[in-house]
Amino acid sequence: MFLSVFFFLTGKLREMLPLHINQKLRKKEMGEENKVTLYGMWASPFVRRVKIALKIKGIPYEYVEEDLRNKSQFLLQYNPVHKKVPVLVHNGNPIAESLIILEYINETWKNGPKILPEDPFERAKVRFWADFLQQQFLDSLRSATKSSGEAHEKAMKDVFEKLTVFEEGTEGFFPNGTPHFEGENLGFLDIVLCSLFGSHKVGEEALAMKIIDPERHPLIHSWVTAMNELPVVKETLPPHDKMVSFIQSLRGNSLD
Amino acid sequence: MAAQKVKLLGFWVSPFAYRVIWALKLKGIDYEYIEEGIFNKSPLLLQLNPIHKKVPVLIHGDRVICESYVIVQYIDETWPHCPLLPQHPYERAMARFWADFAETKLLDTAWLGLCARGAEREKAAKLAMEAVEKIEEVVKGKKLFGGESIGYLDICLGWISYWLPVWEEVGSMQIIDPIKFPATSSWMNTLLHHPVIGDNLPARDAMIEYFQKRSKDI
């Protein structure tokens, strides 16, 4: 009897607390406070970006593998607009789109290495080039993988031209000429580049064509090679043979 | 750094250039405007933005920044007074998400509708309307996306309040039905009546003429 009165009274006291404190307490009780969940797919370079960022920041998280042919109710609930991975759920709040997730991680977890530079101009530069890779370059690559014959050759020429633009545009990022990384301090643009080209050998094997040629694009090649030595990058690399088969089947499907 | 001279390369009818104009004006930043002819690009533009060869380009001292949403964030971070992006990281993520959504699902499709004909135009207009349905849910119950004052998302989506009705007229399409989308319509109205937006828009007649010509050319 005494216990039930006690719980009744504490419940009533809880109701008197401001709403945002009540919500915080409830989330804590439900184990959602500071809980981080990443919905992903093993082969997705976009998901890989988020994994790398979470590892760099040392943020513990739960990973949920999605079957994209049979999307879970959670994915559809957390990303109803695009229904895609990656989705990061933090404190019950979902964030979609890999580059937006990276900015969110940078702004929320202030300890540890910075993913974006502090200086607004340096930030603008990395955002610009990340957007270039994400929009211009990926569009060209998609055209190349979906075409064959003459159309494919033309598309590949465009891919290499875009790589050259990137190579020349980012030369100034490395005053000593050679990309070098301290510890695991990958930044926003490094992560995007790594996710797209880190597995370039896999892509080259699967598609029987050279994408990152050290003679044609020495900076990109040395940049990617330097990153591929880092444990945080190695640990997030999808299995080689599985990836080769996956890319081959994607190419096969897109040419049907 | 903030005290250094600011210049903006723009084009009189570009909604992307206007994002930057609105951001500069909201922050009370003095700048020199340089008009570019997009069909006859100046050596200055080609030198400053060799990658995309597009406006807007912001020049701040010896710094050059391209791409409207990169520029607006640069402005917000360099001149932190009157913040445009929300303070909380989750709300910032939402603002960025919806800005990106509107760009790819509404602006691109509405532009496609303007340039297409017949069934292609109808299809694009339908997709654009589906995008507005989602935006309607986000803006419901709000005066502006930024709350009581104009924020990043209002700036990024501001073209909807003025360019989109022009494209609808030129393309004989209806994308924003005020009965179907009352919250969006109300937001458009609020934006147009805001002095910084309302006093900084291209002349409508000239826009109609321009887009009529462009849609035929394309």
Side-chain angles (χ1 to χ4, degrees), chain A residues 108-179:
Chain A
T108 305
W109 287 276
K110 300 209 191 295
N111 296 331
K114 301 271 177 263
I115 291 173
L116 273 107
E118 293 285 283
D119 178 70
F121 184 51
E122 297 302 315
R123 275 188 187 203
K125 284 195 275 187
V126 300
R127 282 176 178 145
F128 176 86
W129 287 110
D131 181 69
F132 176 82
L133 288 175
Q134 185 80 336
Q135 309 286 348
Q136 312 274 322
F137 175 76
L138 272 185
D139 280 349
S140 299
L141 196 62
R142 278 188 196 108
S143 301
T145 49
K146 285 182 179 157
S147 57
S148 55
E150 214 178 285
H152 173 77
E153 276 181 41
K154 185 166 178 268
M156 279 312 297
K157 190 165 169 281
D158 191 42
V159 165
F160 292 132
E161 274 168 12
K162 298 252 157 62
L163 286 174
T164 303
V165 169
F166 184 83
E167 173 101 3
E168 288 169 4
T170 56
E171 250 168 20
F173 284 36
F174 304 103
N176 301 328
T178 325

Side-chain angles (χ1 to χ4, degrees), chain B residues 3-193:
Chain B
Q4 299 256 345
K5 202 173 160 97
V6 178
K7 292 182 193 177
L8 171 64
L9 248 69
F11 181 54
W12 70 275
V13 77
S14 160
F16 311 106
Y18 270 88
R19 285 175 183 160
V20 182
I21 291 171
W22 295 333
L24 290 167
K25 293 231 181 248
L26 281 163
K27 298 254 188 189
I29 298 161
D30 284 328
Y31 66 100
E32 181 193 337
Y33 178 80
I34 302 166
E35 177 70 14
E36 267 294 326
I38 61 164
F39 300 110
N40 191 18
K41 294 174 187 187
S42 73
L44 180 67
L45 175 62
L46 299 175
Q47 176 204 331
L48 293 175
N49 191 1
I51 291 111
H52 299 305
K53 305 177 179 54
K54 287 181 182 174
V55 294
V57 178
L58 190 83
I59 306 148
H60 180 210
D62 57 0
R63 298 170 166 185
V64 178
I65 305 107
C66 307
E67 293 297 291
S68 64
Y69 83 95
V70 176
I71 297 171
V72 173
Q73 289 183 90
Y74 173 80
I75 290 169
D76 205 29
E77 288 162 0
T78 304
W79 293 273
H81 65 279
C82 304
L84 301 173
L85 269 162
Q87 297 301 298
H88 194 279
Y90 184 66
E91 287 168 44
R92 293 162 77 87
M94 290 302 100
R96 288 179 174 128
F97 177 85
W98 289 109
D100 179 68
F101 173 83
E103 202 80 343
T104 50
K105 303 292 183 190
L106 180 54
L107 192 145
D108 287 351
T109 48
W111 178 252
L112 210 71
L114 178 66
C115 302
R117 298 289 179 268
E120 285 281 318
R121 172 175 279 175
E122 273 179 44
K123 189 177 165 208
K126 188 168 173 286
L127 286 172
M129 274 183 69
E130 284 170 11
V132 181
E133 276 168 28
K134 298 201 163 58
I135 290 168
E136 176 79 6
E137 290 306 304
V138 181
V139 79
K140 208 171 265 187
K142 294 183 186 142
K143 180 180 161 189
L144 291 161
F145 288 106
E148 286 303 307
S149 56
I150 292 183
Y152 177 79
L153 194 50
D154 298 292
I155 289 175
C156 291
L157 268 54
W159 65 275
I160 295 171
S161 67
Y162 196 70
W163 275 257
L164 188 54
V166 167
W167 294 356
E168 285 174 301
E169 185 177 321
V170 170
S172 305
M173 347 175 247
Q174 188 184 40
I175 295 167
I176 310 271
D177 177 347
I179 296 168
K180 273 185 90 172
F181 307 121
T184 307
S185 302
S186 167
W187 165 77
M188 285 162 66
N189 200 42
T190 305
L191 211 63
L192 290 173
H193 282 92

